[in-house]
């Protein structure tokens, strides 16, 4: 009996260390989040992931990164804060949102079934950028919003296609403000990326910066 109890304790301890280790091993949020060039200089792999998503789904790199900055400030394991019971007892979270893109359980399940894989993780930038690209393509098909319209793409991202079509965001000033911020940030990121993208194009052994060219 004691042996079984010890084995259970070791298993739980191992699980805690595994989960904690994943969070510890995750990249730190970029220090300069207002400049996409600095973001990619800190995390060059993020450029590759966003570029792959852009080629696959059509949402620009700048818009993807503006979404992620708004949703999580580039924190890989962030979740909505818990509510407080009696002002101090931790209560339930308001939603199942998690990770870079703050995707919730139901829509993340749809993404994994339709476009991702069983092993897709919300805490990995590759899957977060791919998710945003997939979601915006679905939004475009359902609502007709252009992939070049980050403000309204974000409104639909936050409210869902049905909520967007019903105009639910019109009664939510905070959501409208966030959508405008996303659009402004996407435009700023786009302008910055023009000046530095060639730095991140050197993905072949024969390419040497600054002689790479953005495609």
């Amino acid at each position: 009996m004691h042996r079984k109890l010890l084995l259970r304790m070791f298993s739980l301890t191992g699980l805690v260390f595994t989960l904690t280790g994943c969070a510890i091993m995750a990249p730190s949020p970029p220090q300069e989040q207002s400049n996409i060039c600095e973001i990619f200089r800190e995390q060059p792999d993020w450029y590759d992931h966003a570029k792959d998503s852009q080629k696959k789904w059509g949402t620009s790199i700048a818009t993807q990164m503006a979404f992620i900055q708004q949703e999580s400030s580039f924190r890989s394991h962030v979740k909505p804060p818990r509510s407080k019971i009696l002002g101090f007892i931790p209560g339930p979270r308001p939603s199942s949102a998690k990770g870079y893109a703050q995707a919730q359980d139901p829509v993340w399940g749809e993404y994994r079934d339709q476009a991702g894989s069983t092993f897709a993780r919300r805490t990995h930038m590759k899957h977060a950028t791919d998710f945003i690209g997939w979601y915006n393509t679905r939004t475009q098909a359902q609502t007709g919003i252009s992939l070049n319209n980050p403000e309204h793409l974000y409104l639909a991202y936050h409210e869902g296609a049905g909520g967007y079509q019903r105009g639910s965001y019109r009664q939510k000033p905070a959501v409208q403000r966030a959508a405008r911020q996303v659009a402004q940030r996407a435009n700023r990121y786009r302008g910055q990326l023009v000046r530095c993208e060639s730095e991140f194009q050197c993905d072949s052994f024969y390419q040497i910066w600054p002689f790479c060219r953005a495609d």
Side-chain angles (χ1 to χ4, degrees), residues 120-136:
R121 306 192 309 278
R122 284 171 279 187
T123 56
H124 196 296
M125 185 61 77
K126 176 180 179 179
H127 304 137
T129 52
D130 193 65
F131 170 80
I132 290 171
W134 167 81
Y135 193 96
N136 286 345

Side-chain angles (χ1 to χ4, degrees), residues 1-12:
M1 192 71 177
H2 289 296
R3 184 179 180 183
K4 287 183 179 180
L5 182 60
L6 285 172
L7 287 173
R8 287 181 181 175
M9 290 175 64
F10 281 127
S11 297
L12 288 172

Side-chain angles (χ1 to χ4, degrees), residues 61-120:
I61 293 172
T63 295
Q64 293 174 53
M65 301 306 282
F67 270 44
I68 291 172
Q69 200 287 328
Q70 183 68 37
E71 290 295 286
S72 66
S73 297
F74 301 105
R75 293 172 293 168
S76 61
H77 286 71
V78 69
K79 298 179 182 179
R82 294 183 181 276
S83 59
K84 297 292 185 181
I85 301 172
L86 300 178
F88 65 95
I89 301 173
R93 300 185 191 277
S95 78
S96 58
K98 178 182 177 182
Y100 286 118
Q102 287 296 280
Q104 298 191 42
D105 290 348
V107 71
W108 186 256
E110 292 179 43
Y111 161 70
R112 292 205 305 181
D113 291 343
Q114 296 177 20
S117 74
T118 304
F119 303 104

